[in-house]
Amino acid sequence: MSNPTRTNDAANDSWWRSAVIYQVYIRSFADGDGDGTGDIAGLRSRLQYLAYLGVDAIWINPWYPSPLADGGYDVSDFRDIHPAYGTLEDARKLLAEAHQLGLRVILDIVPNHVSDQHAWFQQALAAPPGSPERERFVFRDGRGEGGSLPPNDWYAAFGGSTWTRTPDGQWYLHLFAPEQPDLNWDNAGVRAEFESILRFWFDLGVDGFRIDVAHGMAKDPALPDLGLTEFSVIAGEGQEGHPHWDRDDVHDIFRSWRVIADSYPDPRVFVAEAHVRPGRLADYLRPDQLHTAFNFDFLKCALEADKLREVIDRTITDLAKVGAPATWVLSNHDEARHVTRYGRAHTGVTTPMRDQGHSTDLALGTRRARAAALLMLALPVGAYIYQGEELGLYEVEDLPESVLQDPTWERSGHTVRGRDGCRVPLPWTGDTPPFGFGTFVSAAPWLPQPDAWKSYTAEANQADRTSMLQLYRSALRLRRTNPGLRGEEFRWLDSPPGTLLFERGTGLLCAVNLSDQPIPLPDASSPLIASGPLGKDGVLPPDTTVLLHWD
Ligand code: GLC
């Protein structure tokens, strides 16, 4: 491997513990061939930007062949690249170039379900009830007269029943859209196939996988009714003994995956997407299972000192029990961008995928997003950045209905717009759309960008010393150069109500003021970096974070 940082010493084997991982939503990152859709060529052309930003790795959302019924989370072939994004040869080049720059590459694996166009599902439809082809999925007879009612009362994440009827009368299970039939993880063939897929990409040189819906793969074979009368993913995730979320038997799958990851001389890593009850995440991160996980409690938390403190404490304590590193995340491709969320009266996420239509103060949201970003990057030890947050992008809430693609829009009977507003193609340069999204020429981007994004391009950010991009770059540089920030030490110090104060390593403090009054900075401290202007006489204004050197 040409990357000088990829040696096999012990410290390097655990690069992932303190990594800052940048999420590339490939369809919207950069468009190399000018067709309006992001692709591998576009990503390759912007790798220098990511290296200069100072992240350690990238996580690429699904790039496999897919009908894109759910933005690529409906995979029709796990061993190839969607033609709109490029080829396997492009993927090889990307891996080599990223590694040259010291960037690790994590892919997204979607093991809970496949596309209804996947060969396995097509074979299952063509095969009779009870056949081995159907055993790979969850087919059941219906209830009621002639089996015309779904086998149980479960709700799908995008709305409607989790069951769709096939022409021969049987029903198949899909926790998400009907185009995403769930696999049966009690089936040995399913398990073997995914182990082989992991090896395929590891052999190609990928450094790890983010595991989609890791908490949903195991189901109670009895498929009991839930007794819910309306859609409630959250209630389901919070319930003990739930028949399809966070079941204990899911952990066996990850134990066998870990053996595969560890069999490589440069061990590969797994990141869990697991929406689970407080206290349950650590089970996924036991030493013989997955490496890290997204901290959705932090993402969803209101920007209030007491609540954040509780989440931070719980995260660090819970994960320390299994020796897993804490991670922090503010946004991703499923949630309204945090500039927008923090500009609202209620800053927490209450209904994932459905959080929209509130009045927003973007200036306030941006100030708070800066404070939250500096807090996130000061916490121990891992963090995730969603593409565009470093540019200060906000949620595009006024996309025309005609362009909406999220399955939630159709499945909710056009009542819930869904997640397209955080997936709008990135603005890079220039004063008018497509803002350099196509690196040479460009058709209209697959989702339209707001005209106002001319002041949010990477170019405009670059030119402004006080921009969001400069804040992220400076904070990431400080993480690299200050051992206190890279290590795992963390200690709370007393601070006024509505504020947070903690020490990282020796002599490095982070103060966050989320109250409505300025607060004095600690004695004998000098600012290293702040999310906004500090007040005269060394006070920390509201909605501001500062990192301080402390004698
Ligand atoms: C995960 C993905 C989301 C997708 C869903 C179904 O939650 O992050 O985008 O729609 O799984 O695969």
Side-chain angles (χ1 to χ4, degrees):
M1 194 67 51
S2 48
N3 180 354
T5 65
R6 282 165 66 92
T7 57
N8 284 333
D9 59 90
N12 204 46
D13 277 357
S14 54
W15 64 269
W16 50 272
R17 289 191 72 88
S18 58
V20 176
I21 302 180
Y22 183 98
Q23 178 185 354
V24 174
Y25 195 76
I26 187 152
R27 203 177 178 187
S28 301
F29 184 72
D31 172 15
D33 64 3
D35 65 354
T37 291
D39 49 34
I40 299 179
L43 173 53
R44 286 173 58 204
S45 75
R46 299 287 182 188
L47 282 177
Q48 291 281 357
Y49 165 88
L50 296 174
Y52 189 57
L53 176 60
V55 297
D56 302 290
I58 56 175
W59 148 40
I60 305 171
N61 285 103
W63 63 1
Y64 316 102
S66 161
L68 303 179
D70 179 22
Y73 284 94
D74 47 321
V75 179
S76 50
D77 178 357
F78 285 92
R79 293 186 184 78
D80 206 347
I81 303 287
H82 194 297
Y85 302 149
T87 62
L88 276 177
E89 193 42 39
D90 295 330
R92 277 194 197 94
K93 287 184 189 150
L94 169 78
L95 286 166
E97 289 163 7
H99 289 158
Q100 282 285 358
L101 290 168
L103 293 168
R104 260 100 178 174
V105 180
I106 290 175
L107 300 185
D108 206 320
I109 193 153
V110 189
N112 181 66
H113 42 262
V114 298
S115 162
D116 61 352
Q117 300 307 308
H118 189 284
W120 273 10
F121 192 68
Q122 289 299 314
Q123 290 159 13
L125 287 181
S131 59
E133 288 83 356
R134 288 204 175 183
E135 271 304 301
R136 293 173 177 147
F137 297 90
V138 186
F139 279 86
R140 291 286 188 283
D141 292 330
R143 297 198 287 203
E145 203 177 318
S148 61
L149 296 172
N152 70 20
D153 67 353
W154 297 357
Y155 281 89
F158 302 137
S161 168
T162 52
W163 296 95
T164 291
R165 201 166 195 196
T166 62
D168 66 22
Q170 271 210 315
W171 299 73
Y172 68 89
L173 178 77
H174 50 88
L175 294 186
F176 293 86
E179 296 88 348
Q180 295 167 294
D182 277 47
L183 289 164
N184 169 16
W185 275 88
D186 287 332
N187 182 280
V190 169
R191 292 193 182 217
E193 172 68 354
F194 273 84
E195 294 185 8
S196 150
I197 293 165
L198 292 178
R199 287 203 174 87
F200 174 86
W201 291 103
F202 286 155
D203 290 347
L204 212 75
V206 312
D207 299 284
F209 280 99
R210 174 251 189 203
I211 304 170
D212 190 60
V213 198
H215 60 306
M217 294 157 68
K219 277 107 190 165
D220 181 343
L223 305 172
D225 275 340
L226 272 165
L228 298 175
T229 50
E230 60 183 54
F231 171 85
S232 176
V233 172
I234 284 299
E237 287 168 353
Q239 204 172 302
E240 206 178 327
H242 194 280
H244 65 75
W245 293 135
D246 190 25
R247 287 175 55 78
D248 288 338
D249 36 350
V250 83
H251 298 289
D252 287 344
I253 304 169
F254 302 136
R255 288 195 184 93
S256 64
W257 285 21
R258 180 62 179 252
V259 172
I260 296 172
D262 287 350
S263 72
Y264 285 78
D266 188 8
R268 311 304 158 101
V269 306
F270 292 116
V271 182
E273 186 215 19
H275 296 269
V276 294
R277 281 173 285 143
R280 295 279 292 187
L281 196 57
D283 290 353
Y284 291 74
L285 305 180
R286 285 173 278 190
D288 61 345
Q289 293 186 46
L290 309 178
H291 297 74
T292 67
F294 300 103
N295 186 347
F296 294 120
D297 290 346
F298 186 70
L299 184 154
K300 290 175 192 162
C301 187
L303 207 64
E304 293 167 25
D306 290 351
K307 291 183 178 150
L308 284 167
R309 189 178 170 130
E310 201 185 311
V311 168
I312 293 167
D313 270 340
R314 200 171 58 224
T315 302
I316 294 176
T317 318
D318 282 358
L319 299 190
K321 287 183 202 146
V322 290
T327 67
W328 314 98
V329 59
L330 296 170
S331 275
N332 63 29
H333 64 294
D334 290 329
E335 305 294 349
R337 284 191 176 274
H338 60 270
V339 162
T340 298
R341 285 190 274 120
Y342 294 156
R344 298 171 177 166
H346 298 286
T347 49
V349 175
T350 42
T351 46
M353 300 192 194
R354 284 164 166 69
D355 215 10
Q356 51 213 339
H358 309 271
S359 86
T360 304
D361 175 345
L362 280 183
L364 175 66
T366 302
R367 210 158 54 239
R368 288 176 170 167
R370 295 174 64 96
L374 200 50
L375 162 65
M376 169 174 84
L377 294 173
L379 285 169
V381 267
Y384 292 86
I385 295 173
Y386 176 47
Q387 68 176 40
E389 74 175 66
E390 82 282 13
L391 303 176
L393 297 187
Y394 52 85
E395 182 79 1
V396 184
E397 297 192 283
D398 57 356
L399 286 169
E401 292 181 356
S402 59
V403 304
L404 296 180
Q405 309 235 350
D406 188 331
T408 305
W409 175 240
E410 286 301 326
R411 301 278 297 159
S412 68
H414 296 185
T415 56
V416 184
R417 294 171 67 89
R419 302 159 291 172
D420 293 313
C422 64
R423 300 173 177 182
V424 174
L426 291 194
W428 291 95
T429 55
D431 288 334
T432 49
F435 299 120
F437 175 61
T439 41
F440 299 107
V441 288
S442 189
W446 69 279
L447 288 174
Q449 303 151 310
D451 291 339
W453 278 12
K454 67 168 182 261
S455 34
Y456 290 80
T457 61
E459 186 180 45
N461 266 272
Q462 164 72 29
D464 175 1
R465 218 165 35 85
T466 66
S467 70
M468 190 72 91
L469 182 60
Q470 304 293 10
L471 176 71
Y472 272 77
R473 281 184 185 156
S474 306
L476 289 166
R477 197 173 314 124
L478 196 62
R479 276 176 67 99
R480 277 198 306 281
T481 51
N482 191 305
L485 280 179
R486 204 87 196 195
E488 304 204 7
E489 279 174 58
F490 176 88
R491 183 167 73 98
W492 290 114
L493 301 175
D494 288 341
S495 67
T499 71
L500 300 170
L501 180 64
F502 54 86
E503 187 180 18
R504 294 295 319 280
T506 307
L508 189 89
L509 294 186
C510 175
V512 187
N513 184 4
L514 299 172
S515 75
D516 54 9
Q517 297 297 320
I519 54 162
L521 293 176
D523 290 340
S525 66
S526 47
L528 293 168
I529 175 176
S531 66
L534 298 178
K536 289 196 199 81
D537 314 325
V539 295
L540 183 63
D543 299 318
T544 310
T545 296
V546 63
L547 298 193
L548 302 148
H549 178 73
W550 196 33
D551 290 322

